[in-house]
Amino acid sequence: MKIGLLTCINLTWLVFAMAQMPDTIDQPPPETLETGANDSGGLVNFLSVQLGSMSPQSAFAGKVPEHKFQFGVSYYRQMIKEKPLFLGVDFTYVTLSHYGTEIPFEQDGETVFWDVSTTSSMITLDITSRYYLPLKVLTVDLFAEFNAGFNWMHTSTSFTPPDDEEAAETNNNKNDLVGKYGITGGLHIPLASSSYLQFRLGYHPGLSAYYFTLKDSITPPVESTIEGFELQKTTTDQLKWDIGYTFAF
C-alpha cells in the first residue's frame, strides 16, 4: 500500500506538470527538443549510464557510515512532442559490504580450502518524472525529477571449490524490498548534437528495511563468511549524486 501511494504521488506530480505547461514553449530545453532527436521528428528518448556516490543519511548512516560507490543506467521518453516533460526508469546498484576469505572443509577425508565470500548490496529501481526548466545557463539545460520506487536489500554468500570441475554454490541470506521516493536536481551539458554530460544530486528517503553489515570485529569464520555480518533494520534514507553520459535518439 505504501509503495502504491508513492507511485500515485509521482503520477499526480506528472499530471500536474503537464497541466501547467503552455501549449507552446518559446525555448524548450533541451536543445534536442527544438530540432528533434531523430529525422522523423518523433518523441525524444534519453539513454544514460552514470557513476556516482551514495551517502547514507539518518539512521542508515549509523549502520553504514561510509560513502558507497554506485553505478546505474536510466531511460527516459518524452511524454508530449515539443514539451520538456519525460517519464522514465532508473536502475542503480550499490555494494554495502563485502567480505571474502578461504575456509577449510573436510572433503573425502581431506581438508580442502574453499573461497567463500558474502556481499550485501542495494538495488534501486525508480519510476521517474523529469521536467526541464524553461531557463538555461549558457548552453546548460536544467531539470528537476521526482522519483518513486523500491530499494531491494540483498545479501548472498558464494562458495567456490578449489576444483574447477565443481560448480560454485550460492546461498541467499536475506532479501527485503521496501518503498522509497526522491527529489533530484540535475543538468545537461551538450557535448554533440545528440549527446550530453549529465550531473544529478538528489535526496531519497526510504522505508525501514532489513540488511546485513560487517561486524566491527571479525573472527575467522567456521562455516561461512556470513558469520562476519550482523543483521540491521533501519530506514534507508540516502543522499545521492552521479555523473554520466546521456545519448538522445
Side-chain angles (χ1 to χ4, degrees), residues 184-200:
T184 301
L187 55 86
H188 272 163
I189 302 174
L191 299 177
S193 59
S194 298
S195 62
Y196 302 84
L197 179 66
Q198 174 179 282
F199 177 80
R200 298 187 300 180

Side-chain angles (χ1 to χ4, degrees), residues 134-177:
L135 57 89
K136 285 188 176 185
V137 179
L138 299 178
T139 61
V140 177
D141 299 308
L142 306 178
F143 60 82
E145 296 179 350
F146 187 86
N147 322 91
F150 308 91
N151 287 328
W152 177 30
M153 319 301 285
H154 173 68
T155 302
S156 63
T157 302
S158 64
F159 297 80
T160 304
D163 189 346
D164 294 336
E165 296 181 357
E166 297 184 56
E169 302 175 5
T170 301
N171 290 344
N172 290 314
N173 304 113
K174 188 67 178 178
N175 290 283
D176 201 3
L177 185 69

